[in-house]
Amino acid sequence: MLTGEDIRRILQVRGDGVPVVSLYAQSPANPHNEREMHSRVDSLLSEIRPIATDESVGREARLSIRSDIEHILDHMTRHEWRPGSMAIFSCSGRQIFEEVDLPDPVRDRIVLDTTPWTRPMLAVLAQYHRMCMVTVDYGEATVWELYQDELRELHQHRDQKLRKQSPSSTRHDELRDKAAEYSKKHLREAAESVGRLFDTEAFDLLAVGGRPHEIPHFLDVLPNDLRQRVIATFTVDPDEPAPAQIRERGIEILEKHAADEQRQRVAELFDTLGSGGRATLGLESCLWACAAVAIDRLLVEYQAEAPGVVCDFDGWMGLGGTECPVCGRPVRAAADIVDEMVESVIDGGGSVTQVKVETDLRGHLAGATLHFPLPPEP
């Protein structure tokens, strides 16, 4: 699982005069078909092999690229493929090798530059929220991370004074007041721990769980900025195994949040269209907006596909034809023009939302908010 620290480390990679290899490879349909996977990766590496022997390139850079190729091929023989894709960032001259498993498929590609090419990775990961989950109980608070359906425990805060006495033992007024004071102090310290983790782990969302009477007390001591990140509260059953039920509750919360977010973005798109703002609707119009590099956010129906054509010279895309209406050159047939459009929007710095729920977008395939009004189509 990729953590916030991993992302920051990759983003900070610099070759300092030596090129960085960024390679993306989609997982094979059959995870046991290693030959097909190795063939695709070897084909990608063939694009940079000539540079490794080009005398016009500095010696340090050539040696680094040769080692990168060897390391990547060696890694292929040991990698356990999971559904989605893999990204590798390698700079042997600076002893850098980072591998990231991505949950969604991306197009095979290789890029050689002074810094890692991370845009496809970040576009995929932007679809997945990293959620902090806090469970509070009498004298105990545990902080969890839920990301890409994987749960891990980050921190546990215990107040030994509270743990030694049960709530039922504090019947005397003085004991009860002291226990309440300890409990409030314990929850404040737990909230401070959550705040520190938000600073270091790059969480997007927060959910709080526990016994129903404990949750409001914890919410009361949360700083305002963290309280605004809380998207749900949930009850923890003390008779169920904690990690299993917390993961299950968390996945339910994230699925509901993602569905609500998709509906909201589609509603905003149609509001912008209704007011005559910078937006467009329909696959053909979005293809022209993509060619004009005008798309800010692209919304596409989940698993939408359509054949089309692409001009590799100027980036024009359409649903059919034999030559580009912009430059007149022959166009390339694309089995899935929606995928081509998504990749192009990501390359241009735009964002993409896959809409899985039922919304007004259904039947249109795609819609987009724009940076500027579209110029007339050629």
Side-chain angles (χ1 to χ4, degrees), residues 202-257:
F203 289 117
D204 303 306
L205 308 167
L206 177 60
V208 179
R211 300 175 191 268
H213 64 277
E214 292 275 3
I215 295 173
H217 296 305
F218 181 73
L219 295 176
D220 286 343
V221 298
L222 272 180
N224 286 334
D225 59 330
L226 287 183
R227 203 176 304 148
Q228 292 172 4
R229 301 279 192 99
V230 177
I231 61 167
T233 60
F234 59 98
T235 302
V236 174
D237 185 346
D239 296 328
E240 291 185 37
Q245 67 166 315
I246 291 167
R247 178 180 177 274
E248 182 181 348
R249 303 293 189 278
I251 291 174
E252 291 172 357
I253 290 168
L254 282 179
E255 287 178 348
K256 182 181 183 303
H257 177 78

Side-chain angles (χ1 to χ4, degrees), residues 46-72:
S46 66
E47 298 180 25
I48 64 172
R49 282 194 176 96
I51 303 175
T53 57
D54 188 343
E55 293 295 331
S56 66
V57 178
R59 182 174 182 275
E60 185 182 20
R62 295 200 311 272
L63 293 176
S64 181
I65 295 171
R66 289 176 199 170
S67 295
D68 291 332
I69 293 171
E70 292 173 4
H71 290 165
I72 291 170

